[in-house]
Amino acid sequence: MALPNNMAKEMIFFLGDNIRFLRKEKKMTQEQFAEDIGYNRSAVSNWEIDQSMPTIKDLCRLADYFQEDITELLFLDMKNANKKGKTKKVSSNLSSNLSSNLSQDLEENQKKVLEISELENRVKILEVELSAARKELSTKDTLIVSLQEQITLYKQLQATISSK
């Protein structure tokens, strides 16, 4: 997700802390949580310690799993917001910028998925065509061998008749 430099400098990410906080609210270990969302424990651990970030698609899955807004999952210190009784709202400007960037990234990813899908379908069609061509060649090869055998038999029959 590409953000303007001045915006990126001002941002503080809380994703790792929030994943840990929300997981613990559900009273789950990293291993239980990872299994529940279909990942391994080390991926969850890396997210929680900000060693790596989930992809946009995975981020959407996490937000859905926790029933949280993506921007809040990324930028709101949920643990401290809950302790202080603050409402969980990120500035609308930041939220709209992030939503716009996420939408663009999702659209680009969807286009790539469609292109890949189209290519996969074309490959399947070509594989079917290749299989049909091989069968046709195999049939023609069998026909050629059969014709050659018939010619040989007729030549033998002709030689037999000529020698009488």
Side-chain angles (χ1 to χ4, degrees), residues 8-52:
K9 288 177 185 175
E10 295 173 17
M11 289 186 182
I12 298 174
F13 288 94
F14 291 97
L15 180 63
D17 292 335
N18 288 337
I19 291 172
R20 183 182 315 104
F21 172 74
L22 293 168
R23 173 182 58 80
K24 286 184 177 184
E25 270 193 341
K26 290 184 174 278
K27 296 180 180 14
M28 299 177 86
T29 65
Q30 283 183 342
E31 193 165 314
Q32 290 167 330
F33 174 62
E35 185 176 318
D36 208 27
I37 62 170
Y39 289 87
N40 61 41
R41 189 203 57 77
S42 71
V44 171
S45 174
N46 286 336
W47 294 341
E48 288 185 3
I49 62 172
D50 297 318
Q51 192 70 30
S52 67

Side-chain angles (χ1 to χ4, degrees), residues 3-147:
L3 299 171
N5 284 340
N6 60 342
M7 184 183 282
K9 288 177 185 175
E10 295 173 17
M11 289 186 182
I12 298 174
F13 288 94
F14 291 97
L15 180 63
D17 292 335
N18 288 337
I19 291 172
R20 183 182 315 104
F21 172 74
L22 293 168
R23 173 182 58 80
K24 286 184 177 184
E25 270 193 341
K26 290 184 174 278
K27 296 180 180 14
M28 299 177 86
T29 65
Q30 283 183 342
E31 193 165 314
Q32 290 167 330
F33 174 62
E35 185 176 318
D36 208 27
I37 62 170
Y39 289 87
N40 61 41
R41 189 203 57 77
S42 71
V44 171
S45 174
N46 286 336
W47 294 341
E48 288 185 3
I49 62 172
D50 297 318
Q51 192 70 30
S52 67
M53 285 205 47
T55 64
I56 291 173
K57 182 180 176 183
D58 296 334
L59 189 59
C60 291
R61 285 180 62 192
L62 290 170
D64 186 54
Y65 180 85
F66 288 123
Q67 296 180 336
E68 295 289 343
D69 182 83
I70 291 175
T71 54
E72 291 175 359
L73 192 58
L74 285 166
F75 302 109
L76 180 70
D77 184 356
M78 292 179 175
K79 183 178 178 180
N80 290 324
N82 282 349
K83 283 182 182 176
K84 296 176 183 177
K86 293 181 181 176
T87 58
K88 298 195 304 185
K89 287 293 166 205
V90 177
S91 76
S92 60
N93 186 27
L94 174 61
S95 182
S96 65
N97 285 339
L98 288 173
S99 295
S100 173
N101 287 333
L102 285 174
S103 294
Q104 288 174 353
D105 288 346
L106 287 173
E107 285 176 23
E108 287 175 20
N109 285 341
Q110 287 172 343
K111 286 178 185 176
K112 288 178 185 176
V113 167
L114 286 174
E115 288 173 7
I116 290 170
S117 179
E118 288 174 10
L119 290 172
E120 287 172 345
N121 287 337
R122 185 64 186 147
V123 166
K124 288 177 184 176
I125 291 169
L126 290 172
E127 287 173 342
V128 168
E129 290 175 357
L130 177 61
S131 178
R134 284 184 175 150
K135 285 180 183 176
E136 188 177 326
L137 283 175
S138 174
T139 302
K140 287 182 179 178
D141 287 345
T142 304
L143 182 59
I144 290 170
V145 168
S146 174
L147 289 172

